[in-house]
Amino acid sequence: MAERERQHVRVAVIGSGFGGLGAAVRLRRQGITDFVVLERADSVGGTWRDNSYPGCACDVPSHLYSFSFAPNPEWPRNFSGQPHIRAYLERVTDTFGLRPHIRFNSEVRGLRWDGDALHWEIDTTGGALTADVVVSATGPLSDPKVPDVPGIDRFPGKVFHSARWDHDYALRGKRVAVIGTGASAIQIVPAIQPEVARLTLFQRTPPWVLPRADRRITAVEKWLHSKVPATRVARRGLLWGIREMQVSAFTKRPNELGLIELLAKNHLRKAVKDPRMRAALTPDYRIGCKRILLSNTYYPALARPNVDLVPAGLKEVRGSTLVGADGSEAEVDAIVFGTGFHVTDMPIAQRVIGADGTTLAEEWKDGMAALRGASAAGFPNFLTIIGPNTGLGNSSMILMIESQLNYMADFLRQLDALGGKIALDARQSAVEAWTRTVQRRMERTVWNTGGCDSWYLDANGRNTTAWPGTTAEFRKATRQVDLAEYEVVRPPKEPAGRSADARAEVAA
């Protein structure tokens, strides 16, 4: 009875961030209403719901960091903050009528491919269901990574990750340690520095930081973008075009980035007068190897008298004393980890069991790989949004998401065209050919040659995260599904005589 009552849908989407909501909009616009969006939290927003730390904002201009099919002429700033981006995603949800499709508090605990029924069995904290197609849009920045620091479990104060900010804990007057110097940390440090008694920043590797050309968008601009849509389109096109022209320096000619390094060094020199601190904040790798960060307030905050820079990682915790890899010590009341996410080892991969009974994590043990960033061999009718090698170092991920939505839409069209109960499974040879091409192009990129160890690289040192080309190239590569790259999977045939025997048994 339980099996009969289990809901079946044509498509199950996992996650309600940009990728999941975009997939839901695309499904509805394609006339598909038999789908659900499985969300582990109680609201939409993905990483823009989870990351609510002080100072949180996007480092891509708002008019480019939004859906092309859902423009927002009311963005308040060039680089809008987390509250505005989250509010935008809430509006998208309501504007396109997505809420009836969303199952909140339904974290996916497991997915298993049923090769006989040709569908996915899905177990969630909100109940079980089955789906013909699964679209995983959990995103790479969804599961925080916290290092296993010796002694951290005996720290008497407060500990939390930047993506799980404890807003009930007041930092005012406290001694606070921030661990890490990535995109989150450089926003947190200047936001909390004025109110804490002492701030200690543990820096394993200094980032390259450029000025942030942020400003309030005027009422006149908003009016023009609302009343004359062509101005909005032109603004978005200009932002996109500038970033497309930058790609060759990142992917083919990293030495051309030297001028950008000079700009970054000048930015540092103007804000930090202490030569010892300036030397500690100067990277020894090529700019762009790690993500280039944008801030006008990070360096000035570090130069304030209540801030200590530890140019080393956190080695251990002894009670309330933090010990750096350089032997330095700091007494603190709270620890904030700005240490990133499980990007190349996404937890969802451990929960997906494919046609051969192996998990996606096992399939990816030597490195993530998926055909056109979407399809892994042995996992029929399973698509990933922001999959392997779809990340960007200088532009908007929304552009890549929309390209993958095009691919998803054509994938479903191909299933309809083939007709009947079928599935599409990426051929291993096609996945390998695509991966070889991507990795060959990756060899010349700044991410592989720049001399740094970044979150773009997996445990084997392979870049399975970034896309080594322009967004236009990726759009072309994902415009439609090439059936030659897939195996058409049909229901298993019954043994000879079985149907007749079954009919006789029923008749009896």
Side-chain angles (χ1 to χ4, degrees), residues 6-317:
R6 180 181 295 182
Q7 180 188 8
H8 178 80
V9 295
R10 185 179 182 196
V11 183
V13 179
I14 308 174
S16 67
F18 268 99
L21 295 179
V25 171
R26 191 58 181 269
L27 289 170
R28 284 187 61 89
R29 297 180 80 179
Q30 198 160 316
I32 298 173
T33 56
D34 184 17
F35 71 90
V36 296
V37 178
L38 303 171
E39 171 52 55
R40 65 184 178 185
D42 59 3
S43 60
V44 302
T47 192
W48 293 106
R49 174 199 59 234
D50 296 342
N51 286 270
S52 59
Y53 58 79
C56 183
C58 189
D59 59 1
V60 174
S62 299
H63 281 280
L64 192 60
Y65 198 79
S66 47
F67 290 121
S68 63
F69 53 79
N72 177 22
E74 295 297 323
W75 286 118
R77 304 191 66 85
N78 281 351
F79 297 90
S80 296
Q82 177 265 347
H84 297 105
I85 298 173
R86 184 179 181 185
Y88 169 77
L89 290 173
E90 292 280 1
R91 286 198 300 275
V92 168
T93 302
D94 292 329
T95 299
F96 291 92
L98 304 182
R99 291 197 188 276
H101 297 277
I102 302 175
R103 289 190 183 182
F104 293 112
N105 301 307
S106 296
E107 181 172 8
V108 173
R109 296 186 295 199
L111 298 116
R112 180 183 291 273
W113 176 252
D114 185 330
D116 293 326
L118 292 192
H119 66 214
W120 286 96
E121 296 180 346
I122 308 170
D123 176 36
T124 82
T125 53
L129 69 155
T130 59
D132 294 330
V133 177
V134 170
V135 179
S136 178
T138 59
L141 306 182
S142 57
D143 292 284
K145 178 183 288 186
V146 177
D148 186 16
V149 180
I152 190 67
D153 56 330
R154 295 185 296 277
F155 178 69
K158 191 70 178 178
V159 180
F160 52 87
H161 190 277
S162 59
R164 299 293 183 268
W165 196 271
D166 188 342
H167 291 278
D168 294 327
Y169 181 78
L171 293 179
R172 182 169 295 279
K174 299 291 199 309
R175 299 167 300 176
V176 181
V178 175
I179 316 301
T181 52
S184 299
I186 74 156
Q187 295 178 341
I188 293 169
V189 167
I192 68 173
Q193 174 270 319
E195 65 174 304
V196 302
R198 188 132 215 104
L199 192 156
T200 304
L201 176 65
F202 284 81
Q203 170 193 269
R204 188 174 59 180
T205 308
W208 284 104
V209 182
L210 287 172
R212 185 181 183 87
D214 192 21
R215 64 171 178 81
R216 186 177 300 279
I217 295 176
T218 67
V220 172
E221 290 174 279
K222 293 178 184 178
W223 183 88
L224 275 173
H225 294 335
S226 177
K227 303 300 182 182
V228 188
T231 62
R232 186 186 63 236
V233 173
R235 183 174 192 156
R236 181 182 176 94
L238 179 63
L239 292 169
W240 169 77
I242 291 172
R243 282 155 182 77
E244 290 288 273
M245 289 189 292
Q246 296 170 346
V247 170
S248 64
F250 286 85
T251 60
K252 297 177 182 178
R253 295 181 290 275
N255 288 335
E256 293 183 357
L257 293 166
L259 178 60
I260 308 300
E261 285 186 9
L262 292 176
L263 293 175
K265 288 179 179 178
N266 185 55
H267 183 50
L268 171 60
R269 186 170 54 254
K270 286 182 177 179
V272 179
K273 303 306 180 184
D274 181 354
R276 292 182 62 186
M277 176 177 279
R278 199 161 58 232
L281 292 170
T282 302
D284 62 358
Y285 55 87
R286 173 65 76 189
I287 194 170
C289 185
K290 288 176 177 284
R291 188 173 181 94
I292 300 173
L293 307 182
L294 306 177
S295 177
N296 299 327
T297 55
Y298 176 62
Y299 287 146
L302 293 182
R304 300 300 296 169
N306 68 329
V307 177
D308 295 316
L309 174 67
V310 178
L314 178 60
K315 180 181 179 182
E316 63 176 311
V317 178

